[in-house]
Amino acid sequence: MIEMLRKINTSRAVRTMQELFPEEYDFYPRSWILPEEFQLFCAQIRMVKEKDATLSPTFIVKPDGGSQGDGIYLIRDPSELKATVGSQARQGVVQEYIHKPLLIDKLKFDIRLYVLMKSLEPLEIYIAKEGLTRFCTEPYQEPSQKNLSHVFMHLTNYSLNVHSGNFVHSESQSTGSKRTLSSVLYRLAAKGVDIKKVWSDIIALVIKTLIAVVPELKVYYHAEIPPGKPGPTCFQILGFDILLMKNLKPVLLEVNSNPSMRIEHEQEVAPGVFKYVPSPVDKEVKVGVIRDTLRLMDPGHKKPSIYQLRPGGLEHSEEIPMESETPERSPDEGALPSLCLKQVYPKYAKQFNHLRLVERIAGLFIRFLGVKGNMRLGPTAFRTFIRSCKLSNSNFTMAAVDILYIDITRRWSGADAREAGMGLQAFLEAFFFLAARRFKAAAPREQAAALLELCEAQLEAQTGSEDRRSLSCSRAQPRANKNQTSGAANPQQLESPAPLRRAASQDYRLHQRLKPRPLRANVEN
């Protein structure tokens, strides 16, 4: 989770979804990955300024692994990028800056929402009903060359603003520099804002973001957990940072894999004397999140009523019952309040299941990995995928398949020999290329969906024929040997057919044989 929620990996995952579902993933600012997309960034900004010389957009630069506002700064021209740190290229993302945020008391603010990913398989997501709002400590002005460096005006990070002389520690949940989300929503409701619509949009943003990162998470998960066997219960509390625009549209700033759960702050009680003082706002929000996460995850209290599988599948499951509805409560839970965590997935799965297209493609990738613990496809495994799905023909030979594999893996692996092979992102690029080649007239989403259905149908037919062959072989055996051969129809064995096992062992030899060949032409040409 920590790896997936670094700025670059999150941007890649969301951008993949933006290519397929642009209207659904318009909540993430346009982003470029540094340093690899620096020239692309420069070229696109130059084009914007050539079309309209009066435009001078602002961008925010974020280091890949940064936190608490460290290393974040604003620019208005690519020449202002701080390209290196010592001798190392600075890795990070540069994003369009939201220059018209919603203001309260003339101050910019963001929302910190706590989200529990309770399970990956099946996907279960809970959102805390209460969150934090963190305010800047200088009145907001639209960015200009003069105020770009005013961090207390532009950056909402608590760890930055707490050092401002204007920061207000308040005992009230509705005043000061850190407030509860509900207090802000009530204030907006008093002005006629439809806060149900705002909250619904925020829930959709959270679900869509997690759907974007789930495919890569599943690759990691399947590398550790054997298929068909129960693994450990994996869960994580995430911190979503969300900005409301002036038109009340929520925008995703970032997702934190390890959000702060401190409920106290340092306060000067006398000149030069500091002590830690509990924060009423932090206590109100964070204690409930941790308490209810433990209640949901407690392995000693597995209740079938938490969610129930019905004939329609998970998408028809119910929201977790509140305390008053929960049967068989232990004496220790007698005084606990109602859950502050609201289940949003699979409760609202019907609205979002169509977005899980990349997750199904990742399922193909995982199927052809072959060896447990492996997270990259070798050249033979990629060839096996092409053959099994019948994607080669006279116009796209296996030689072209090899060139495609080498071309894409070289671009993704770079000079690091430890990164040899085709990871999920490289496989997705190859899959989209194959889809565009086969279904030229369709939109990218339809191309990917059509190729996916084709692959799944071929693999299903192949599995069915293997089942029939296994059954006929077992019938052909003498009655005395029947027990010895009945294991051939074991579903676990069918999941790993002989070609996949051979693929894993042949990868290295084929990779070495293909490696010295010069690329005569790019396959895309």
Side-chain angles (χ1 to χ4, degrees), residues 322-339:
M322 291 303 191
E323 178 189 314
S324 58
E325 302 168 0
T326 305
E328 300 178 16
R329 289 174 40 192
S330 68
D332 295 339
E333 281 191 326
L336 289 177
S338 299
L339 285 167

Side-chain angles (χ1 to χ4, degrees), residues 365 367-371 374 376-388 405 496-511:
F365 175 79
R367 176 175 180 142
F368 288 93
L369 284 175
V371 181
N374 190 16
R376 290 178 175 272
L377 283 182
T380 306
F382 186 67
R383 275 170 157 250
T384 305
F385 157 67
I386 296 292
R387 283 199 183 102
S388 299
Y405 176 87
S496 303
L500 296 187
R501 293 197 297 273
R502 288 198 300 271
S505 63
Q506 292 171 2
D507 278 344
Y508 179 76
R509 283 177 294 171
L510 182 57
H511 186 66

Side-chain angles (χ1 to χ4, degrees), residues 12-64:
R12 280 200 177 115
V14 175
R15 278 165 43 172
T16 297
M17 300 301 289
Q18 286 177 329
E19 291 174 14
L20 299 174
F21 304 95
E23 69 285 353
E24 300 267 13
Y25 281 81
D26 60 349
F27 56 82
Y28 191 68
R30 195 176 182 191
S31 306
W32 295 264
I33 295 170
L34 300 176
E36 62 188 77
E37 294 178 349
F38 174 73
Q39 295 300 332
L40 178 64
F41 172 61
C42 293
Q44 291 181 338
I45 299 312
R46 188 163 53 246
M47 286 174 56
V48 168
K49 292 186 176 180
E50 285 174 358
K51 287 182 180 178
D52 189 345
T54 62
L55 287 177
S56 186
T58 303
F59 303 91
I60 185 165
V61 185
K62 304 175 182 179
D64 185 34

Side-chain angles (χ1 to χ4, degrees), residues 91-342:
Q91 287 194 311
V93 296
V94 56
Q95 293 180 328
E96 287 181 321
Y97 180 76
I98 307 301
H99 65 281
K100 290 191 179 293
L102 179 68
L103 303 180
I104 289 183
D105 299 331
K106 299 182 180 179
L107 299 172
K108 180 181 175 181
F109 68 96
D110 76 351
I111 297 166
R112 161 59 62 87
L113 203 58
Y114 294 96
V115 175
L116 170 66
M117 185 182 276
K118 180 177 181 287
S119 168
L120 186 61
E121 291 187 344
L123 182 60
E124 285 189 73
I125 304 168
Y126 291 78
I127 295 181
K129 298 176 185 177
E130 183 65 279
L132 301 173
T133 48
R134 305 170 304 182
F135 284 75
C136 287
T137 47
E138 272 186 34
Y140 179 77
Q141 298 174 8
E142 288 198 22
S144 65
Q145 205 62 45
K146 293 181 179 179
N147 66 27
L148 284 186
S149 60
H150 292 204
V151 293
F152 298 145
M153 176 189 296
H154 294 295
L155 303 184
T156 52
N157 303 74
Y158 166 79
S159 52
L160 292 176
N161 282 280
V162 74
H163 299 295
S164 166
N166 297 328
F167 192 93
V168 177
H169 291 287
S170 175
E171 291 296 313
S172 168
Q173 296 181 8
S174 57
T175 60
S177 298
K178 187 188 283 188
R179 312 176 193 178
T180 59
L181 173 59
S182 58
S183 71
V184 169
L185 292 179
Y186 288 144
R187 185 164 173 178
L188 293 176
K191 295 182 178 180
V193 170
D194 183 358
I195 58 172
K196 286 187 178 179
K197 172 70 165 57
V198 172
W199 185 240
S200 175
D201 290 345
I202 289 173
I203 290 174
L205 179 151
V206 168
I207 295 173
K208 291 174 184 177
T209 301
L210 290 180
I211 284 176
V213 301
V214 156
E216 193 94 39
L217 283 174
K218 282 202 167 183
V219 175
Y220 281 89
Y221 185 86
H222 281 274
E224 300 295 334
I225 310 300
K229 294 189 177 182
T233 300
C234 304
F235 69 96
Q236 191 133 350
I237 297 173
L238 307 172
F240 273 70
D241 292 345
I242 298 166
L243 182 76
L244 290 179
M245 296 173 62
K246 194 172 183 178
N247 62 2
L248 298 172
K249 178 182 176 180
V251 173
L252 176 66
L253 300 180
E254 64 182 24
V255 188
N256 295 272
S257 61
N258 187 26
S260 170
M261 286 295 172
R262 294 187 64 170
I263 60 170
E264 55 189 11
H265 59 267
E266 195 176 54
Q267 190 170 334
E268 189 172 15
V269 293
V273 179
F274 293 86
K275 74 172 185 177
Y276 285 102
V277 179
S279 162
V281 175
D282 284 314
K283 188 175 179 182
E284 171 69 20
V285 176
K286 297 176 182 177
V287 168
V289 169
I290 295 176
R291 176 195 66 223
D292 293 342
T293 296
L294 295 176
R295 290 167 71 184
L296 287 169
M297 299 309 307
D298 180 7
H301 292 80
K302 292 183 178 178
K303 304 183 182 69
S305 58
I306 287 182
Y307 66 86
Q308 299 174 352
L309 285 172
R310 296 194 175 180
L314 272 176
E315 62 185 39
H316 294 288
S317 57
E318 296 180 349
E319 185 179 2
I320 189 166
M322 291 303 191
E323 178 189 314
S324 58
E325 302 168 0
T326 305
E328 300 178 16
R329 289 174 40 192
S330 68
D332 295 339
E333 281 191 326
L336 289 177
S338 299
L339 285 167
C340 74
L341 293 173
K342 172 186 173 67

Side-chain angles (χ1 to χ4, degrees), residues 463-475 482-496:
T463 303
S465 64
E466 288 178 358
D467 281 336
R468 288 191 295 273
R469 282 200 302 271
S470 298
L471 184 60
S472 63
C473 287
S474 65
R475 286 174 176 170
K482 195 167 185 179
N483 292 336
Q484 298 174 12
T485 60
S486 61
N490 189 317
Q492 289 186 352
Q493 292 180 358
L494 293 178
E495 287 176 5
S496 303

Side-chain angles (χ1 to χ4, degrees), residues 384-425:
T384 305
F385 157 67
I386 296 292
R387 283 199 183 102
S388 299
C389 297
K390 294 182 169 44
L391 300 182
S392 61
N393 52 43
S394 58
N395 295 322
F396 187 61
T397 64
M398 294 308 291
V401 170
D402 292 338
I403 294 174
L404 175 66
Y405 176 87
I406 296 171
D407 188 34
I408 290 179
T409 51
R410 276 183 181 173
R411 188 159 58 251
W412 281 93
S413 300
D416 191 349
R418 295 172 301 175
E419 296 294 318
M422 178 178 277
L424 177 62
Q425 290 298 321

